[in-house]
């Protein structure tokens, strides 16, 4: 069952089909009987990393609710005209979209999307090292970069490993050398790296580079 009369449904289906043919061409199927009761719709179907089909975006015409709520607009002739609602769920269910995104990337988000973009691994509790690490963390956050500090009692190797397991794009090890020189050697997540090793660079240049990368939504490291 569905709302409205058959003539209205046929007109709405013809309008949807015209849009599909104009913009999607021939790469579509007619899902007869799959429309919601209040209007025909366009479903965008994709395949996840396991090859399963999933419904992504949905755009649907709704002529039932405007009729029920007596919703009108004023047309060019100054007359009240019944409107048609368009429901647009661009990502479908947000929760399902996030699950698909995490599965597709294996949690290896590009820098702009990563919940933690840079991790600062403090080598020891030396006052100068701790001060440098805290200042670096503050500068990263001031630049709009999502950063965290690991100043735990674990070894440097374990801190680096923890950052790798968390799939953080960049890891900065801060010790006496970095505190004295103001230079860092970023460790880049393997899938983002464009070369075998990262060069030493100033803290300011690193921060600017990551900020630019996040802003441009690049898919590879800019270092």
């Amino acid at each position: 069952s569905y709302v409205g009369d058959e003539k209205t449904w046929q007109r709405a289906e013809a309008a949807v089909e015209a849009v599909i043919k104009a913009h999607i061409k021939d790469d579509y199927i007619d899902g007869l009987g799959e429309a919601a009761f209040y209007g025909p719709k366009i479903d965008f179907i994709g395949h996840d990393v396991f090859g399963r089909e999933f419904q992504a975006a949905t755009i649907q015409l709704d002529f039932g609710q405007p009729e029920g709520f007596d919703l009108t607009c004023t047309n060019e002739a100054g007359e009240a005209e019944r409107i048609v609602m368009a429901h647009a769920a661009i990502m479908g269910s947000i929760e399902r979209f996030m699950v698909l995104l995490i599965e597709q990337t294996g949690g290896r988000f590009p820098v702009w999307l990563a919940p933690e973009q840079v991790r600062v691994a403090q080598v020891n509790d030396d006052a100068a090292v701790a001060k440098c690490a805290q200042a670096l963390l503050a500068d990263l956050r001031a630049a709009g970069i999502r950063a965290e500090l690991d100043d735990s009692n674990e070894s440097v190797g374990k801190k680096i490993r923890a950052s790798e397991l968390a799939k953080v794009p960049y890891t900065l090890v801060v010790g006496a050398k970095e505190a004295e020189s103001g230079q860092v050697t970023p460790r880049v997540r393997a899938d983002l790296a464009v070369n075998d090793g990262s060069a030493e660079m100033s803290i300011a240049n690193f921060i600017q580079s990551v900020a630019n990368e996040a802003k441009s939504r690049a898919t590879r490291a800019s270092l």
Side-chain angles (χ1 to χ4, degrees), residues 8-207:
T8 304
W9 264 87
Q10 290 175 349
R11 188 171 72 251
E13 287 178 341
V16 169
E17 187 175 11
V19 170
I20 292 173
K21 288 183 175 179
H23 298 281
I24 306 178
K25 308 302 180 186
D26 298 324
D27 191 17
Y28 73 95
I29 60 171
D30 185 358
L32 186 64
E34 293 187 9
F37 72 94
Y38 51 80
K41 63 178 180 177
I42 302 173
D43 285 336
F44 293 85
I45 307 299
H47 291 85
D48 66 15
V49 70
F50 302 110
R52 302 171 301 194
E53 279 193 353
F54 68 92
Q55 178 183 304
T58 296
I59 300 175
Q60 185 162 17
L61 293 184
D62 177 1
F63 47 83
Q65 293 189 76
E67 187 73 33
F69 288 105
D70 191 24
L71 302 178
T72 62
C73 65
T74 303
N75 62 20
E76 294 84 349
E79 303 166 337
E81 183 177 330
R82 179 74 64 219
I83 68 168
V84 174
M85 247 182 222
H87 298 263
I90 303 303
M91 293 190 298
S93 162
I94 298 298
E95 293 81 4
R96 181 177 59 184
F97 177 84
M98 286 304 301
V99 168
L100 291 165
L101 179 62
I102 293 168
E103 287 180 340
Q104 192 73 29
T105 62
R108 297 177 182 86
F109 297 128
V111 173
W112 66 270
L113 190 57
E116 182 181 350
Q117 296 166 318
V118 177
R119 182 169 298 184
V120 179
Q122 184 178 315
V123 171
N124 54 47
D125 292 332
D126 178 81
V129 172
K131 182 179 180 181
C132 177
Q134 290 286 352
L136 175 54
L137 181 68
D139 289 343
L140 285 164
R141 290 178 173 176
I145 297 169
R146 295 184 289 277
E148 297 295 336
L149 172 64
D150 184 351
D151 57 356
S152 65
N153 292 324
E154 298 291 352
S155 67
V156 174
K158 285 188 176 181
K159 291 179 181 182
I160 292 173
R161 179 61 176 160
S163 184
E164 290 175 349
L165 290 174
K167 300 178 175 62
V168 180
Y170 291 110
T171 304
L172 296 178
V173 176
V174 176
K177 177 185 173 184
E178 289 75 21
E180 183 178 347
S181 67
Q183 301 282 111
V184 290
T185 304
R187 292 175 178 270
V188 188
R189 201 177 66 209
D191 61 294
L192 296 174
V194 294
N195 49 47
D196 294 334
S198 298
E200 189 177 66
M201 61 196 306
S202 71
I203 290 174
N205 285 345
F206 171 77
I207 292 174

